[in-house]
Amino acid sequence: MIRAAHAPDGSGAGTLRAALVAFLPLALAAALTWVAGSGDATSFDDTVLLPPDDISMGRFFLALIVLAFGYFGVYFAPGLLLMRALGWRVGNPVGNAVAAFVLSLFGGSLAWIGAQAVTDGLAGRTCLYLTIASLDAAALLAAVFLARGAPALPTLPAEARGRGRRELVVPMLGVLFVLVAGAFLMPGKITTEALEGDATEVNGFAASLFDRALPYWDLESGVWGFYPTFMFVAYPVFFSLALLGQSEAAVRLPALLFLGVLALATADLAARGRTRAAADSFAVLVPVLVAAYLSMQVGAYYAGYHPFHGDLACSPLEEWMVTALAMCAVVLVRDGAPGLAAVAALLSILTFPSGLMVVGFLGVAGFVTATNAEERWTVFRWGTGLAALLGGWAAFLLVYTLAQGTFGPMIGEWYAKYFQGRASFGGENPERIVRALGWYTLLAGGLPVVGLVVAIWRGDRVGRWLALAGGAWVAFFLFSPAKNIHYFMPAALLPVATALRTTTSERKPRSSLAVAGLLSVSAIVCVMLCRPQSVPPYTADREFGRRTVFLAGTVRQAVDYSKVIFNLTEPLWRWRPGSPWTVGHHTWVLYADRGFDLDREYDFYIGEGPTPAPGLEEVTRISVPGGGSAALWARGGRAAIREWKAKTFPLRKELSRFNFDMALSEPAP
């Protein structure tokens, strides 16, 4: 239960140490960023720490140090100071870490919204550092009045001390090892590969916050704005863009951050209360980490809108963010902090439309599996707190979008895109159901799926809670006509958690180790089954974009013009074996220049009107909104297009021994 922190340290030493915890990482990250910018001859705000192009090893390690300090200073430290100011603590170290993470996201996002209210024009890296530092300073000042003499960090109850540090440090090191291993075992999937079409949408949402308080991007209907439950994803990604510079890595790394938080919360839920130790028990930690690596691999290579191409910056990022925040809420409800759990659940819902279902299933399952009145009351308080927050959000959204004139188109597109037809269960093909069950079994690590079934009838309260929610989620998408491997990702780690919670105990160390070993081996086999053959990272669309200019005054015009590319190649969702393909016209726009005052020569020009420069040949033309037409001109004509097509590698079913093939799925619109 969250309660006031006692045992003050007596003087201002706690305040000084708390200030060091918050300000020192930010100062080091800023100083090292300045060093990197000096070497590149770029300004502090414009320095890109992890560009897609090759950099020296020294520069790479410098960027990793900035990443570590910057991420801690933005995603964790503000929450720790807010907990100190409010006198809050949770009864275990993982709960405290989760609470700090949620408060940092919530407080940091609100602080940025406030900063944009007083900032005129583009606000970059400097403004983010100043905003977070101001939030930290405000929390420190509040603690002087509200929690005088409080220790620097949340303390643990007496019964939880002794093992406390190990219970947090060991699983955090394990999670960090898995994430680093994944980055090295999947070369190019984080820093080098061009962003996929949906990833450019996430990038656009986030980048819009450089000069706006609320995300603002081109929706598919042509309306600019955001969906009711697809907007919070912009803030954590924006923090990464501002810290690391606008690059592919900066968009993808938050996916690994949230996967790490998800793994940490899952390991703690799998063990705490069931065994004396918590997530630092290796019989619990190792199977969870292997399952997390499996999710990371599937997300990187397959979790897109084609079974043979994935991007961590789109579906995996969104699903892991949703699920990590929802699992943080479960941890906080378990530990008696329903108010903060409501905040975590709200952020999950606002991140991506799947958050509504994830939080809904977890909420209902938590209430149904409660074993006494106190547990039911805690879940009820969580639900009422969340309902109040959602009511406030709905009122704000209604007023804001009506004032912007976007309410009708936004709601219509949001419903049609994410909800319409998803619950049409009657006519689903049995073969598709079986195939989708095979996908999920592979994604979950094989044997752990048995844990979902076993935990429902012989598990304890937490085990049945997770199993019931996970089972409902999987059943929904098995029978729904909408099928994609990333739809199952929110339930990917629940089987291993329920299996471990149901079968392991420190009272039976040998059998627990045997079960953990069996689950780990099963997950490793699944990793090998879906490990793709070595293929180069996809960079053709970025190279194409860098040689292109859109003769357009707005991004909206450029997006309309960019569809000319579909006269020459196929988007992923229309791909068939042997077809040339592209990851999407939005990607082309992202990497291309735009404007009319050209200061260099390009190989490809797209726009309306006559041929814009000598030496160009018209390749193809399309109609555009407003009655005109846009053409693609190339220096070298169709020969230049063939050169670009040659750089796109073919998608092959031989990428792995087992594929998340959607051949029986409904054709995409």
Side-chain angles (χ1 to χ4, degrees), residues 370-386:
T371 58
N372 55 56
E374 182 180 357
E375 291 178 349
R376 282 189 289 273
W377 175 241
T378 301
V379 175
F380 178 77
R381 289 171 60 200
W382 174 35
T384 53
L386 175 60

Side-chain angles (χ1 to χ4, degrees), residues 477-566:
F477 283 105
L478 286 180
F479 293 99
S480 170
K483 293 281 192 294
N484 191 298
I485 186 58
H486 82 78
Y487 296 162
F488 294 97
M489 294 185 81
L493 298 188
L494 293 181
V496 71
T498 55
L500 290 167
R501 191 165 185 90
T502 305
T503 59
T504 60
S505 171
E506 286 197 344
R507 298 173 184 174
K508 301 177 180 179
R510 291 186 177 179
S511 63
S512 296
L513 286 174
V515 170
L518 193 61
L519 295 175
S520 300
V521 169
S522 176
I524 290 172
V525 170
C526 291
V527 168
M528 297 172 63
L529 284 174
C530 67
R531 176 72 183 173
Q533 295 181 8
S534 178
V535 294
Y538 185 81
T539 62
D541 282 20
R542 181 172 61 240
E543 295 174 13
F544 192 30
R546 287 175 173 178
R547 299 162 59 193
T548 299
V549 62
F550 283 89
L551 304 174
T554 66
V555 177
R556 175 72 257 171
Q557 279 186 313
V559 170
D560 289 337
Y561 295 169
S562 68
K563 295 176 184 178
V564 71
I565 198 173
F566 295 148

